[in-house]
């Protein structure tokens, strides 16, 4: 298996060269309808191909949401495979948003699906859920290291329901979310210029100064745009860790489709606003 340069190093370079913007590929039914597309495999393929064509050559990261492809069965997964491959060929890093989480051989199989270099769905990184215990992610951590890929671990998510788990306090007095951040800091210790094991931390959460976000790894930050957060909020939310934030925008860009030029303009605007906010902090 060919081993890539570590994901963290590749991501740092892409963020420095292209800006840190991540654009989601979220072909849910309402967006397909807004684009004048049918809610079927043909509409899915047209939508995904258009997004890749518009922005894969200019943004650091594209993040397809696997569920919106899986709902069409094997033909939808085939569209996802093609989208991942074409986006990577155009120079974007691909984070597949699948939020996989399991134990033992099952977690290993999920990891092989997305993180083995020869897998049809091989992605530069994968979102994973640690809520069967952080140690359950070991097969994914090990394979990511082996292949030069990365992980984004759900730590402090923006959905209101997440708090009942992530803000729960352990016997040692530390919250579950803070514990996940500490595990990631340990994974990334000594890595330069950036570790490959990141956290998902919502951009809508407000002041997070009570958490140690200095994990020496990337922070994937959903919530910019339609969910209410703005690029100007990033320094306040992430503080000293803001340079390692990968803000994710989906509808804020995608609603401008299906016109390729309008999608590019929207992505460029968000990228410029994010770069200004990050560099000014």
């Amino acid at each position: 298996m060919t081993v890539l340069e570590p994901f963290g190093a590749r991501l740092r370079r892409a963020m420095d060269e292209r800006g840190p913007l991540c654009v989601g590929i979220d072909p849910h039914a309402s967006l397909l309808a807004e684009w004048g597309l049918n809610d079927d495999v043909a509409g899915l393929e047209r939508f995904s191909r258009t997004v890749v064509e518009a922005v894969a050559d200019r943004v650091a990261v594209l993040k397809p949401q696997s569920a919106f492809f899986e709902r069409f069965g094997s033909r939808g997964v085939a569209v996802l495979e093609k989208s991942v491959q074409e986006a990577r060929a155009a120079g974007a890093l691909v984070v597949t948003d699948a939020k996989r989480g399991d134990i033992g051989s099952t977690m290993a199989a999920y990891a092989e699906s997305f993180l083995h270099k020869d897998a049809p769905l091989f992605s530069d990184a994968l979102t994973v859920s640690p809520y069967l215990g952080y140690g359950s992610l070991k097969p994914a951590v090990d394979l990511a290291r082996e292949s030069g890929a990365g992980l984004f671990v759900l730590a402090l998510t923006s959905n209101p329901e997440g708090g009942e788990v992530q803000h729960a306090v352990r016997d040692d007095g530390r919250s579950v979310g803070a514990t996940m951040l500490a595990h990631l800091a340990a994974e990334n210790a000594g890595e330069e210029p950036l570790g490959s094991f990141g956290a998902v931390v919502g951009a809508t959460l407000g002041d997070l100064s009570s958490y140690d976000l200095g994990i020496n790894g990337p922070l994937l930050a959903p919530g910019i745009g339609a969910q209410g957060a703005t690029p100007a909020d990033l320094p306040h939310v992430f503080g000293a860790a803001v340079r390692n934030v990968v803000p994710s925008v989906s509808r804020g860009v995608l609603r401008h489709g299906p016109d390729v030029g309008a999608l590019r303009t929207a992505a460029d605007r968000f990228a410029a606003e994010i770069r200004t906010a990050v560099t000014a902090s």
Side-chain angles (χ1 to χ4, degrees):
M1 181 174 69
T2 302
V3 178
L4 295 172
E5 182 183 18
F7 171 68
R10 293 185 288 123
L11 178 61
R12 177 79 273 160
R13 184 167 57 249
M15 293 167 69
D16 290 345
E17 293 176 354
R18 295 186 171 199
L21 177 64
C22 167
V23 172
I25 306 180
D26 294 359
H28 46 74
S30 61
L31 261 178
L32 293 177
E34 286 180 27
W35 282 34
L37 300 173
N38 292 329
D39 187 21
D40 56 20
V41 173
L44 175 74
E45 186 169 19
R46 173 73 181 277
F47 182 97
S48 303
R49 183 188 303 119
T50 301
V51 177
V52 171
E53 176 189 350
V55 302
D57 64 346
R58 64 190 57 221
V59 301
V61 179
L62 278 176
K63 183 174 68 66
Q65 169 49 257
S66 181
F68 293 123
F69 296 82
E70 293 176 39
R71 70 192 183 99
F72 292 104
S74 61
R75 294 177 65 198
V77 174
V79 174
L80 176 60
E81 290 178 8
K82 187 173 182 180
S83 298
V84 169
Q85 293 163 6
E86 291 182 349
R88 296 188 72 240
L93 298 177
V94 172
V95 176
T96 295
D97 194 356
K99 299 183 178 69
R100 297 299 194 247
D102 216 309
I103 59 172
S105 59
T106 310
M107 188 68 240
Y110 281 136
E112 289 172 4
S113 299
F114 296 97
L115 301 173
H116 192 287
K117 189 63 175 63
D118 297 326
L121 281 168
F122 174 76
S123 305
D124 297 285
L126 174 70
T127 59
V128 291
S129 174
Y131 295 109
L132 288 173
Y134 183 84
S136 67
L137 300 179
K138 188 176 187 302
V141 171
D142 290 347
L143 187 53
R145 287 193 190 280
E146 182 181 334
S147 63
L151 298 176
F152 283 99
V153 177
L154 303 180
L156 297 169
T157 58
S158 56
N159 63 305
E161 304 88 348
E164 68 184 52
V165 174
Q166 296 156 21
H167 300 324
V169 178
R170 293 159 33 99
D171 290 343
D172 62 4
R174 188 163 57 181
S175 72
V176 173
T179 300
M180 297 307 158
L181 293 170
H183 281 303
L184 292 167
E187 299 286 4
N188 294 322
E191 295 293 330
E192 295 181 358
L194 188 67
S196 297
F197 299 94
V200 178
V201 178
T204 57
L205 295 178
D207 183 5
L208 293 175
S209 58
S210 61
Y211 288 91
D212 185 359
L213 300 178
I215 63 171
N216 191 34
L219 302 169
L220 182 64
I224 301 290
Q227 293 184 47
T230 69
D233 295 328
L234 294 172
H236 171 67
V237 176
F238 294 96
V242 71
R243 186 170 177 268
N244 293 336
V245 171
V246 184
S248 180
V249 180
S250 294
R251 183 177 287 274
V253 171
L254 301 178
R255 66 183 177 84
H256 295 279
D259 182 81
V260 168
L263 288 166
R264 288 175 177 162
T265 297
D268 289 347
R269 177 174 58 82
F270 273 110
E273 291 178 1
I274 290 167
R275 190 189 292 272
T276 298
V278 169
T279 57
S281 63

